[in-house]
Amino acid sequence: MAMCVEDRISKFSDHILCHILSFLPIKEAVRTSIISTKWRNLFASISIIEFDGDLLRRLTDRNIDSFKNFVDRLLKCPDQVSLDCFRLRDGISSWNDGDHDFDVSGWICAALCRGVKEIDLRLYNFGNVLPVFFTCHSLVNLTLDAVDSKIEVPSDVCLGNLKTFYLIESVVVCDSINRLISNCHVLEDLVFLDCSFGNASELNIQSPLLKELTLSYFNPNIDHVVVINAPNLVYFQYEGEIVKVHPLSNMKSLEKAFCNLFGSETSASYLIQGICNVRSLTLKISKEIFPTSRLPIFYNLIELEFHGDICFVEFLHCVPNLKKLILKYQKDAGARWKALCIKIPSCLSFHLKEIEIEISCIDTYMIEMVSYLLDNAMVLERLIIISTDRLTTTAEKRKVRNQLLQLSKSPKKCLI
């Protein structure tokens, strides 16, 4: 005799069941409607709706109308719960290319009418989609990703509750974006990822509540200027060719920064001066713009991750209170090793407790560098060496470790 298994899940309230369905793909959520009469219409009240490229690829001429009716039922029916998130992502083809006559703007408007909090659009073509949500007061998170699409913000923009704005692979019209930033009074996280600026106007980021800022440039105009006034910034990331970046505040709240810089020394010095209060810094910088003579003193910096092919010891003179150092060197970096002839940085003598070195080749230059650190880091507690050279055997690593320990004047904990 078969045992009857009690259906405990169906006893949950509709609110809990809808929350569970929100974690499923749309296709799987709809399938639950066959479980029982209680489940029949639950999928229409889920709070996270995502249409991805895989779903678009599976649509055929025979089921396209059924899909449109389904979307209308899902988004536009009255008496539905508020919507937490609406995502629309292209695949091989685009939702907004006109071939299937999808009402993308209508979908977004319907999501806005349900008080959507997050919109994530990753489309080949924005078309006439953009203007519909720039006055949405419920919107908290906004992501726009459209390759080479020009982003122009209307004059009546007002996103009073927007906290996160991601703009990806787009052409930025600076005056338009300035208008958006100035009308987002509670903005906390701002990202320009692989964006290009086709004109020479000024990008003005003035946001008193901004906590995280990421700028990643693609083919920037050399006359382009970025002005940053964000006194409460906690995280700052800059990648790409240096443009004229002018931090107007000293960013006293800055905890972590990531800078991958190439370009001119003058432009780099402006940026580095602006982040001198940071506590944790990842720095990728070429020898062409390494501004040794113009570097500020990083009194608050306690953790540094340094990438490059230049003598990092010169930079250590600017970080007197450093406690942790991570070095990631190129294969030919050893040929430029000159640390043995310069004054010992004070952080080595008094504060540096942990060093991690990732290097592609264990050679004579690397031995000299590590020997220098072991001999001069007076309070060092831990040294880790990571070889990315797959040809280095365990026996070779053990031999190098023993050689380094023999060179050291005082016992250290060395891991290779």
Side-chain angles (χ1 to χ4, degrees):
M1 180 176 179
M3 294 182 62
C4 181
V5 179
E6 183 181 2
D7 181 8
R8 295 183 179 181
I9 295 180
S10 293
K11 292 183 178 180
F12 291 150
S13 66
D14 289 355
H15 174 73
I16 294 177
L17 293 177
C18 289
H19 181 69
I20 294 173
L21 291 180
S22 293
F23 293 95
L24 297 177
I26 289 292
K27 181 179 179 181
E28 303 302 324
V30 173
R31 284 179 174 176
T32 63
S33 63
I34 66 173
I35 295 177
S36 68
T37 55
K38 179 180 178 64
W39 290 80
R40 183 170 298 165
N41 296 311
L42 280 178
F43 73 90
S45 297
I46 59 179
S47 59
I48 299 176
I49 297 176
E50 177 177 351
F51 301 140
D52 60 18
D54 186 55
L55 175 60
L56 176 61
R57 180 180 58 83
R58 294 198 304 269
L59 293 177
T60 64
D61 292 338
R62 296 181 61 181
N63 60 19
I64 194 74
D65 289 334
S66 296
F67 174 75
K68 290 179 180 179
N69 292 332
F70 163 72
V71 175
D72 286 341
R73 180 184 175 192
L74 187 63
L75 282 171
K76 301 178 182 181
C77 288
D79 301 325
Q80 291 179 319
V81 298
S82 62
L83 194 61
D84 289 332
C85 180
F86 177 71
R87 299 189 184 104
L88 188 62
R89 300 179 177 180
D90 283 342
I92 298 175
S93 55
S94 174
W95 291 99
N96 207 35
D97 58 11
D99 292 344
H100 301 98
D101 195 28
F102 291 127
D103 185 15
V104 175
S105 294
W107 296 352
I108 296 174
C109 287
L112 297 177
C113 290
R114 289 178 57 181
V116 65
K117 298 179 179 66
E118 177 180 347
I119 289 181
D120 185 343
L121 302 180
R122 300 171 188 260
L123 307 175
Y124 294 137
N125 173 33
F126 280 154
N128 62 346
V129 168
L130 289 179
V132 299
F133 54 74
F134 278 126
T135 57
C136 177
H137 293 284
S138 66
L139 203 56
V140 176
N141 304 312
L142 176 61
T143 297
L144 303 177
D145 180 356
V147 178
D148 295 332
S149 290
K150 182 177 289 188
I151 305 299
E152 294 194 56
V153 179
S155 58
D156 60 345
V157 59
C158 184
L159 296 169
N161 289 304
L162 191 69
K163 291 185 177 181
T164 300
F165 179 41
Y166 281 37
L167 188 58
I168 305 170
E169 292 188 299
S170 302
V171 179
V172 177
V173 179
C174 291
D175 295 339
S176 180
I177 294 298
N178 291 340
R179 184 162 53 247
L180 172 64
I181 296 173
S182 63
N183 284 279
C184 296
H185 303 296
V186 297
L187 193 64
E188 295 181 356
D189 187 0
L190 177 61
V191 174
F192 293 119
L193 186 60
D194 293 331
C195 292
S196 61
F197 294 81
N199 53 23
S201 60
E202 178 180 279
L203 176 61
N204 197 334
I205 301 173
Q206 298 203 44
S207 184
L209 299 183
L210 195 65
K211 295 180 180 179
E212 299 187 19
L213 174 61
T214 297
L215 300 174
S216 176
Y217 279 78
F218 177 73
N219 292 331
N221 188 310
I222 60 173
D223 294 323
H224 179 66
V225 176
V226 179
V227 177
I228 302 173
N229 187 6
N232 290 305
L233 206 63
V234 175
Y235 175 80
F236 176 68
Q237 179 174 335
Y238 188 100
E239 292 190 80
E241 186 172 355
I242 282 289
V243 295
K244 297 175 182 178
V245 180
H246 298 285
L248 295 183
S249 60
N250 54 14
M251 299 185 188
K252 290 183 179 180
S253 301
L254 198 61
E255 292 286 335
K256 190 170 184 178
F258 179 99
C259 294
N260 183 6
L261 310 178
F262 50 92
S264 71
E265 178 181 336
T266 301
S267 297
S269 64
Y270 281 115
L271 179 57
I272 293 176
Q273 286 282 348
I275 62 171
C276 66
N277 287 306
V278 70
R279 293 175 59 83
S280 176
L281 173 63
T282 298
L283 183 62
K284 298 182 179 182
I285 191 168
S286 65
K287 66 180 186 303
E288 289 80 13
I289 65 169
F290 188 58
T292 307
S293 60
R294 301 186 183 185
L295 285 178
I297 302 299
F298 292 75
Y299 290 105
N300 297 330
L301 193 66
I302 58 175
E303 182 174 333
L304 171 64
E305 181 176 322
F306 193 91
H307 299 240
D309 55 0
I310 57 179
C311 182
F312 67 92
V313 178
E314 297 178 38
F315 190 81
L316 292 186
H317 285 284
C318 302
V319 288
N321 298 306
L322 192 68
K323 293 182 179 180
K324 181 177 181 180
L325 174 64
I326 300 173
L327 295 174
K328 296 191 176 182
Y329 258 37
Q330 303 298 326
K331 184 174 182 180
D332 61 345
R336 302 180 180 91
W337 173 252
K338 301 176 183 178
L340 301 178
C341 301
I342 64 178
K343 182 180 177 182
I344 298 173
S346 62
C347 65
L348 285 178
S349 301
F350 302 108
H351 298 288
L352 195 59
K353 294 184 177 182
E354 183 175 345
I355 300 175
E356 180 180 315
I357 302 173
E358 182 178 310
I359 196 165
S360 59
C361 180
I362 298 179
D363 55 15
T364 303
Y365 297 109
M366 191 280 294
I367 297 292
E368 290 180 357
M369 177 177 66
V370 175
S371 177
Y372 171 85
L373 293 172
L374 286 172
D375 288 343
N376 294 289
M378 294 294 98
V379 296
L380 187 66
E381 297 176 354
R382 187 177 179 88
L383 171 65
I384 301 174
I385 300 174
I386 302 172
S387 173
T388 58
D389 186 357
R390 296 183 179 180
L391 299 179
T392 304
T393 65
T394 303
E396 290 172 330
K397 292 179 180 179
R398 187 180 298 112
K399 179 180 178 181
V400 172
R401 180 178 60 188
N402 292 335
Q403 182 180 357
L404 292 173
L405 290 175
Q406 291 174 1
L407 290 172
S408 177
K409 293 180 181 178
S410 59
K412 315 284 187 196
K413 186 173 183 180
C414 182
L415 302 177
I416 303 180

